[in-house]
Amino acid sequence: MDSTLIILGALALSSAAATVAGCAEDLESDVGSQSNPNSQVQLAPQMGNIHRYFNKAISGEPVSYGLYVAVAGTIAWALMNIGMSTIFALVIGAGVAAFIHGVYAVSAYLGRIVGQSQNFGQPVYLDVVITHLGPIVGHGFIAVFCMLLAAYLATSILGNPFPLPLVALIFGITVGAIGSSTGDVHYGAEREYQKYPFGGGVPVANHGDIDIKAEIGIRNGMDSSYFCSKLGGPLTGLTFGLIVFLDGWRGIVGGILGNALGGSLISKSIIAIIVGIILVAVMVCLNRLVEVYARKKYGPYTDR
Amino acid sequence: MVIGLLIPFVEITLAGAIINASVHFVPVGGAPAAMATSTGIGTGTTQLAAGAGFTGLMAAATMAAQNGIDIFNPLHWIIILLSGAVGSMIMLGLTMLIGQLIYVFGVGVVPAADKCERDPITGDYQKSYITPGTTGHAIPTVCFISGLIGAALGGIGGALAYVALKQLGFSSEVAGIMAVGFFFMNAVLASYNIGGTIEGFHDPKFKKIPNGIVASFVASLLTGIIVVVMSLGI
């Protein structure tokens, strides 16, 4: 079979895995309340809002995901080198990472909540730990497995010279940075502050005044993941999937066009770089369009 | 022999300074930006710069690993660096664009910069679009462009460090993990210099960039000495 077709197929599979990984990663951080919006969950009891959110800022999201995926990648790599089949090795690696994730999640919840119990009266809800742990570890497993699959494809078919654990570490850090910058905004700025009117941002004076009541009953982390799965999660997945796809795709386009122009490596590489720059220029234009749309649609503040 | 060691040594020192400079361009708002309380991307400086830089590093490494690429050939050297830059720009560009979609359609705020009266690129007024009680929100054009410049520099810096390590004779695997560590070191130094949040090149904090570059230059000089000694097997 034509090698370009195989690479294109591997790239498509890798991007699809990355899309699922990004989405699962963001929803996991919403159930468990990790990353920057967690500052509000941490602040809430001090503002008199006793809540039933899960609270686990293990570390910055990029670093914690770097850890999980690197652990999974290292174990999978070791198992593959003693002759285990690839798919089993990837599943076992992701399973061990999920276990580590669960241990960190429990210790982070207990540590952070107990720290607030004495002074601010925030109870430690054991049922919150038990009910949230499954979705946290489950989403984490999906995210880690899919990233590991993408990393395996990158090293085995797509020409990445790095070993699997290193690519896994880099993917983990990247997906954490993306989830923290895109999907978590939906959770932090909208879901935690739904009682305030849409479109107001969150003035500093309102910080810590998070919603503690849900549509029905008292709000918890799983309600947040349901809400964020409508926009924040899928868009995070789309970001990571597109990054993996477009970065590989420009190389393939460079290869095809370069072959048509004589096939030297330099011309292929230069075309790949030019295609990349065109893609970036399109992003600049789209960003400007969205900005102009928002300025026209929402308008300036006129009452001050 | 001496020239063979000196060139990578200079490259690695420059790479550190470039990486530090790159971080200053990336518009990060930290935790407040995740609540749409300040302008920029809602995550930490080091993390985001590292995410973008590593994507560039992988793009550069994939390019350097192709058959027929010679890392000592100046033309190939430039192509590897540019591949790193473009890889980083794609990562950060997409992250900012999709982040912007969430700010506008998910949170309902208008992109507005707090550190300038008018956007220096589009000329749009900013102040009247900022929610009272916040210091701007989302990613206006000036921040987007600044972020892309930062990403390009970060990709070039990461790729330069990787190429220098390869030229010293390290294998791809070792050069990769050392470049990751080297990138983090310089990104953290820049993060200390920024001290929290920055909107981009129009932010008054950006004027502190020379301090960061000097700090990274010195740190990278020391790192350069260590890796050159390592490459000699001492």
Side-chain angles (χ1 to χ4, degrees):
Chain A
M1 194 187 279
D2 184 7
S3 66
T4 310
L5 271 182
I6 293 175
I7 290 175
L8 199 56
L11 185 63
L13 181 59
S14 175
S15 314
T19 307
V20 176
C23 187
E25 190 274 346
D26 182 58
L27 296 180
E28 184 276 316
S29 78
D30 297 336
V31 185
S33 187
Q34 202 175 341
S35 197
N36 296 300
N38 185 261
S39 60
Q40 305 304 302
V41 176
Q42 184 72 9
L43 187 61
Q46 300 176 41
M47 307 293 285
N49 294 311
I50 303 301
H51 62 81
R52 278 172 65 82
Y53 284 82
F54 202 91
N55 181 347
K56 68 160 183 83
I58 294 165
S59 71
E61 219 169 300
V63 181
S64 66
Y65 263 87
L67 169 77
Y68 309 144
V69 192
V71 165
T74 309
I75 288 169
W77 178 248
L79 292 176
M80 275 189 257
N81 279 326
I82 57 168
M84 187 178 270
S85 81
T86 305
I87 199 78
F88 272 122
L90 296 184
V91 170
I92 292 172
V96 173
F99 181 74
I100 290 172
H101 188 175
V103 171
Y104 272 114
V106 173
S107 63
Y109 177 83
L110 295 177
R112 289 180 82 85
I113 296 289
V114 168
Q116 294 181 315
S117 293
Q118 205 168 10
N119 292 337
F120 307 114
Q122 169 69 42
V124 175
Y125 293 112
L126 280 180
D127 65 319
V128 168
V129 181
I130 292 162
T131 51
H132 284 59
L133 201 57
I136 289 172
V137 172
H139 280 101
F141 176 84
I142 296 168
V144 171
F145 175 75
C146 290
M147 266 182 278
L148 207 51
L149 180 62
Y152 173 74
L153 289 169
T155 53
S156 59
I157 301 177
L158 299 174
N160 194 307
F162 293 157
L164 182 64
L166 181 56
V167 179
L169 170 75
I170 291 176
F171 272 178
I173 290 173
T174 309
V175 84
I178 294 164
S180 176
S181 328
T182 55
D184 281 356
V185 173
H186 194 218
Y187 168 57
E190 186 56 27
R191 181 59 178 173
E192 286 186 345
Y193 290 96
Q194 265 190 294
K195 64 185 167 197
Y196 290 104
F198 179 77
V202 184
V204 179
N206 299 345
H207 277 198
D209 189 20
I210 58 173
D211 284 359
I212 51 174
K213 289 180 182 163
E215 288 76 0
I216 299 172
I218 299 170
R219 183 175 286 186
N220 60 33
M222 280 183 282
D223 302 336
S224 301
S225 91
Y226 167 70
F227 177 83
C228 294
S229 63
K230 293 171 187 167
L231 188 75
L235 282 182
T236 306
L238 190 67
T239 316
F240 190 41
L242 275 177
I243 289 169
V244 171
F245 182 74
L246 291 178
D247 203 30
W249 181 75
R250 70 188 176 89
I252 293 173
V253 172
I256 293 170
L257 291 180
N259 276 337
L261 292 172
S264 89
L265 189 60
I266 299 294
S267 59
K268 286 181 193 173
S269 309
I270 290 173
I271 292 169
I273 289 167
I274 292 170
V275 171
I277 290 169
I278 292 171
L279 289 172
V280 172
V282 170
M283 288 173 212
V284 174
C285 296
L286 288 175
N287 186 69
R288 176 67 186 149
L289 285 177
V290 175
E291 186 186 3
V292 170
Y293 169 83
R295 288 173 74 90
K296 279 191 182 153
K297 172 96 177 168
Y298 302 138
Y301 283 89
T302 51
D303 54 348
R304 58 176 173 185
Chain B
M1 173 72 180
V2 177
I3 296 285
L5 293 176
L6 195 63
I7 291 174
F9 177 69
V10 172
E11 282 173 349
I12 214 160
T13 310
L14 286 177
I18 293 171
I19 291 167
N20 191 305
S22 78
V23 179
H24 288 79
F25 282 92
V26 180
V28 281
M35 258 66 65
T37 307
S38 77
T39 311
I41 307 165
T43 191
T45 329
T46 314
Q47 325 277 2
L48 188 65
F54 295 161
T55 313
L57 177 65
M58 289 221 289
T62 308
M63 177 59 74
Q66 288 195 18
N67 284 333
I69 288 281
D70 175 15
I71 47 171
F72 294 99
N73 180 331
L75 185 59
H76 294 191
W77 182 85
I78 290 172
I79 284 176
I80 294 170
L81 261 52
L82 287 179
S83 289
V86 171
S88 278
M89 284 164 84
I90 288 177
M91 185 276 177
L92 203 61
L94 272 170
T95 304
M96 288 192 290
L97 176 62
I98 308 262
Q100 180 88 305
L101 290 177
I102 292 183
Y103 278 114
V104 170
F105 298 104
V107 186
V109 291
V110 182
D114 183 55
K115 300 290 184 327
C116 54
E117 198 69 31
R118 277 167 171 263
D119 187 318
I121 293 170
T122 60
D124 289 343
Y125 277 112
Q126 301 291 309
K127 293 287 180 200
S128 54
Y129 290 87
I130 296 175
T131 307
T134 70
T135 51
H137 18 65
I139 302 137
T141 303
V142 61
C143 297
F144 198 92
I145 300 289
S146 183
L148 288 179
I149 297 170
L153 287 175
I156 289 175
L160 191 59
Y162 176 75
V163 169
L165 290 163
K166 286 282 286 179
Q167 286 174 343
L168 283 171
F170 291 104
S171 66
S172 298
E173 294 85 351
V174 178
I177 193 74
M178 282 168 79
V180 166
F182 181 76
F183 196 101
F184 259 132
M185 179 188 89
N186 288 296
V188 169
L189 279 175
S191 179
Y192 274 123
N193 194 40
I194 292 166
T197 64
I198 188 164
E199 282 188 10
F201 56 69
H202 62 286
D203 193 309
K205 276 188 185 176
F206 187 74
K207 292 188 181 120
K208 294 202 290 185
I209 193 171
N211 301 343
I213 292 177
V214 170
S216 269
F217 188 83
V218 173
S220 306
L221 204 68
L222 285 173
T223 314
I225 294 171
I226 293 169
V227 293
V228 167
V229 170
M230 276 171 72
S231 74
L232 293 171
I234 299 170

